[in-house]
């Protein structure tokens, strides 16, 4: 699963499959007793991928404690993250923003499931085969978007600003951007370029929300702790005969600037909450028992 500068993937492969992993978590949350949100598309995506031969992670009949712990951690983290960014878009809509760009949209179904104000357009950028799977699957189920939806199939390491403009994006209008579940899959240099470009395309009044991973996250000490935890998960998985898909194999573990600091430095009014604070608010029943992912959720405005 080694990464290369111009690697590409389908939905069940490499970085594409990470979109299925988070969709599976949203499907599970939606089917739970007191869900934080309802994402009916998530189940549709998961079932369509299973029909293509994809096997959902963490479905061992008898998971050991390490696997069960990782599952609990993801089920605290992913739904809390979804809820936080859902609220961001509600606030951006209330601010009067009608142009939305979801970077690395994967199987994010917000364009189909959120109550967008009239006149909203949602652009989604991701690799071509990922967006093709998403759009074909939803069309096959007759699911209609709740805003004007425009897919922009391109790799974020390529000239995506040009592709976005050609798809009708208007840089003179304020935009609500989202980068969720993306940054560790980009080299540090590509992350900087992504935000340089986003900044250039942002009219006054724009907002951006980011799932950020600061220098501490990529430190050797934190990396070692995560590896030890994953070694235990892998050992259990090997015993059960079901190999584990470890997303961090796809990460670029490189020092990079904290994104809240980057945005502040570029004139954005920035606020953030840590993943520990967010999961404690939305999943108080489990947050204290599971390891913290160690990310931060950033919401910044440009005046
Ligand atoms: N944002 C979505 C969510 O939270 O449900 C998807 C997150 S998933 C963990 C990562 C997504 O990033 C995948 O859909 C993958 O295709 C996309 N991605 C990663 N690197 C990318 C790149 N260089 N260009 C385009 N998409 C990329």
């Amino acid at each position: 699963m080694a990464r290369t500068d111009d690697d590409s993937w389908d939905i069940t492969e490499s970085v594409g499959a990470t979109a299925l992993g988070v969709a599976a978590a949203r499907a599970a949350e939606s089917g739970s007793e007191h869900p934080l949100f309802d994402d009916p598309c998530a189940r549709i995506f998961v079932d369509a991928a299973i029909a293509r031969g994809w096997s959902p992670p963490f479905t061992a009949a008898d998971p050991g404690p390490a696997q069960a712990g990782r599952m609990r951690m993801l089920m605290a983290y992913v739904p809390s993250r979804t809820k936080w960014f859902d609220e961001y878009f509600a606030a951006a809509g209330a601010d009067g923003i009608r142009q939305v760009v979801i970077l690395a949209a994967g199987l994010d179904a917000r364009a189909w499931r959120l109550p967008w104000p009239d006149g909203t357009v949602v652009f989604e950028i991701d690799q071509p085969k990922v967006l093709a799977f998403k759009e074909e699957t939803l069309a096959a189920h007759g699911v209609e978007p709740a805003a004007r939806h425009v897919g922009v199939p391109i790799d974020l390491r390529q000239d995506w600003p040009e592709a976005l403009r050609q798809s009708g994006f208007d840089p003179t209008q304020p935009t609500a951007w989202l980068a969720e579940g993306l940054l560790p899959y980009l080299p540090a240099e590509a992350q900087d370029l992504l935000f340089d470009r986003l900044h250039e395309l942002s009219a006054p009044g724009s907002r951006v929300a980011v799932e950020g991973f600061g220098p501490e996250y990529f430190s050797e000490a934190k990396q070692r702790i995560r590896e030890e935890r994953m070694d235990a998960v892998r050992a259990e998985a090997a015993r059960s005969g079901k190999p584990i898909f470890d997303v961090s194999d796809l990460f670029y573990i490189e020092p990079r600037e904290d994104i809240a600091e980057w945005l502040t430095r570029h004139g954005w009014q920035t606020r953030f909450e840590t993943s520990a604070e967010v999961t404690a608010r939305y999943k108080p029943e489990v947050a204290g028992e599971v390891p913290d992912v160690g990310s931060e959720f950033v919401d910044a405005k440009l005046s």
Side-chain angles (χ1 to χ4, degrees):
M1 284 205 285
R3 301 292 312 277
T4 56
D5 287 348
D6 57 354
D7 50 352
S8 63
W9 45 80
D10 205 332
I11 191 67
T12 55
E13 301 164 346
S14 178
V15 189
T18 67
L20 279 169
V22 281
R26 288 193 293 266
E29 176 70 15
S30 301
S32 69
E33 203 177 342
H34 301 294
L36 289 173
F37 52 82
D38 186 26
D39 182 355
C41 301
R43 170 54 53 199
I44 293 175
F45 294 134
V46 168
D47 289 345
I50 291 173
R52 280 191 181 195
W54 178 70
S55 175
F58 302 110
T59 48
D62 185 18
Q67 280 181 292
R70 181 155 177 84
M71 176 75 167
R72 271 202 309 279
M73 180 181 90
L74 292 174
M75 284 310 302
Y77 182 73
V78 176
S80 301
R81 175 179 100 174
T82 305
K83 179 75 179 166
W84 203 88
F85 292 118
D86 281 2
E87 290 182 345
Y88 157 75
F89 278 127
D95 261 2
I97 301 179
R98 298 290 179 267
Q99 180 166 257
V100 169
V101 179
I102 304 183
L103 302 163
L107 302 176
D108 179 329
R110 291 188 176 95
W112 288 263
R113 71 179 175 80
L114 290 187
W116 298 100
D118 286 349
T120 302
V121 54
V122 181
F123 295 92
E124 293 196 317
I125 305 181
D126 207 301
Q127 285 220 352
K129 288 180 187 167
V130 171
L131 289 187
F133 168 81
K134 178 183 198 172
E135 291 167 14
E136 284 162 21
T137 303
L138 291 178
H141 285 78
V143 186
E144 297 285 343
R148 191 158 78 80
H149 169 258
V150 182
V152 185
I154 187 165
D155 191 290
L156 286 160
R157 294 162 294 185
Q158 296 172 3
D159 189 359
W160 60 267
E162 182 53 25
L164 192 57
R165 275 197 210 92
Q166 296 213 349
S167 303
F169 173 84
D170 182 354
T172 67
Q173 294 301 310
T175 301
W177 302 89
L178 174 63
E180 175 190 20
L182 167 63
L183 298 187
Y185 301 106
L186 292 178
E189 215 177 293
Q191 172 176 315
D192 286 343
L193 179 60
L194 181 93
F195 283 98
D196 283 340
R197 288 166 153 178
L198 180 157
H199 181 64
E200 276 172 25
L201 292 170
S202 293
S206 293
R207 289 175 70 148
V208 60
V210 188
E211 181 194 25
F213 299 84
E216 167 81 359
Y217 183 88
F218 290 102
S219 68
E220 272 181 34
K222 292 283 180 190
Q223 180 62 10
R224 206 168 30 248
I225 293 170
R226 284 195 298 272
E227 270 167 15
E228 279 168 15
R229 228 184 274 139
M230 272 320 288
D231 282 349
V233 171
R234 273 195 208 96
E236 278 178 8
R239 282 196 293 275
S240 72
K242 192 168 186 300
I244 205 76
F245 177 63
D246 179 5
V247 295
S248 63
D249 286 346
L250 302 165
F251 286 0
Y252 285 89
I253 308 289
E254 299 175 349
R256 59 187 75 206
E257 185 171 358
D258 179 87
I259 203 60
E261 285 173 18
W262 190 99
L263 288 164
T264 306
R265 197 157 57 75
H266 286 76
W268 294 70
Q269 274 176 292
T270 307
R271 76 170 183 102
F272 71 89
E273 279 190 279
T274 65
S275 50
E277 290 166 337
V278 175
T279 50
R281 180 158 74 254
Y282 293 131
K283 291 285 179 184
E285 63 286 7
V286 282
E289 295 165 19
V290 296
D292 173 34
V293 166
S295 64
E296 62 190 15
F297 301 129
V298 181
D299 175 1
K301 287 187 194 184
L302 193 63
S303 19

